Amino acid sequence: MKNLKTLFVAVLAISFFSFTLLKEKQVNVEESSIVWTGKKVTGQHEGTISLESGVLQFDGKTLSGGNFVIDMTTITVTDLEGKGKANLEGHLKSDDFFGVEKHGKATFTITNASKLDDKNYEISGDLTIKNITNPINFTMVVDGNSATAKVIVDRSKFDVRYGSPSFFNDLKDKAIYDDFELDVKLVF
């Protein structure tokens, strides 16, 4: 009976210890930011898009997972003003690009976080845009209660076709490159 009690206490202690090491940290969506940059043959545009929610998971102090919801209806253009800004924002929200009326949310789930050194992680995950999911990889820097990453997304993999040389020939100077960049800053 004494061995059974000792075993029970040991299992309980291990369970409690393991549970206390796993932490979820809510991302502060008001203080976090995502800046996008899209490039075309004749220049580029940039803007912002907002996180709706986000959670990073830690095993002790080591990043182990996470998931995010991006509010696609918040796509804004920051390098234009007036009618040009309104027109580009409307076009990006239309079915030519992200179709936000039908696809108002995008998601990202970290499937693997490999620690490279004290602050750097190689992140693998599943990005879903327009209900199409594809794997992506990038490096994330975690420093205290913040994280940063530059994420390259190939829009052609998510059926975002407008002006894409992957889908249309002879676009010449009207071509919009398939890759766009997300400069992500998370505060948690």
Side-chain angles (χ1 to χ4, degrees):
M1 186 70 155
K2 186 175 181 180
N3 287 343
L4 186 58
K5 283 183 184 179
T6 304
L7 179 62
F8 176 74
V9 170
V11 168
L12 186 61
I14 291 169
S15 298
F16 179 75
F17 181 71
S18 297
F19 180 73
T20 58
L21 288 180
L22 298 176
K23 295 182 205 170
E24 283 195 349
K25 294 188 178 185
Q26 295 292 324
V27 173
N28 181 331
V29 296
E30 299 300 321
E31 291 185 31
S32 299
S33 65
I34 303 173
V35 175
W36 60 263
T37 303
K39 297 180 180 179
K40 55 187 180 174
V41 172
T42 58
Q44 69 180 40
H45 289 291
E46 61 185 44
T48 61
I49 191 164
S50 298
L51 275 175
E52 181 175 291
S53 63
V55 174
L56 288 171
Q57 299 159 342
F58 289 85
D59 186 356
K61 293 183 178 182
T62 303
L63 179 64
S64 59
N67 55 68
F68 307 88
V69 177
I70 301 101
D71 182 353
M72 298 299 288
T73 66
T74 65
I75 296 172
T76 59
V77 175
T78 58
D79 66 321
L80 297 174
E81 295 179 357
K83 188 177 179 182
K85 172 183 171 72
N87 286 345
L88 182 53
E89 286 175 355
H91 199 196
L92 290 171
K93 292 176 183 181
S94 78
D95 289 341
D96 279 347
F97 283 93
F98 297 103
V100 302
E101 280 191 34
K102 293 179 210 160
H103 310 287
K105 310 285 184 230
T107 61
F108 177 68
T109 301
I110 295 174
T111 56
N112 188 49
S114 298
K115 192 168 187 170
L116 302 174
D117 58 37
D118 282 350
K119 296 180 181 180
N120 292 289
Y121 292 83
E122 181 64 29
I123 302 296
S124 300
D126 292 327
L127 178 63
T128 302
I129 299 174
K130 294 176 71 173
N131 291 330
I132 299 169
T133 302
N134 283 290
I136 62 170
N137 300 297
F138 55 90
T139 300
M140 178 181 280
V141 178
V142 178
D143 190 8
N145 289 326
S146 66
T148 58
K150 290 207 182 293
V151 181
I152 304 298
V153 178
D154 180 349
R155 68 186 177 102
S156 69
K157 293 182 177 182
F158 299 93
D159 200 32
V160 180
R161 296 173 172 237
Y162 186 85
S164 169
S166 293
F167 296 101
F168 303 101
N169 296 325
D170 299 325
L171 290 171
K172 299 181 184 173
D173 66 350
K174 301 288 186 199
I176 303 169
Y177 299 119
D178 288 334
D179 288 347
F180 65 90
E181 183 177 297
L182 300 174
D183 184 5
V184 180
K185 292 183 174 102
L186 304 175
V187 177
F188 46 90

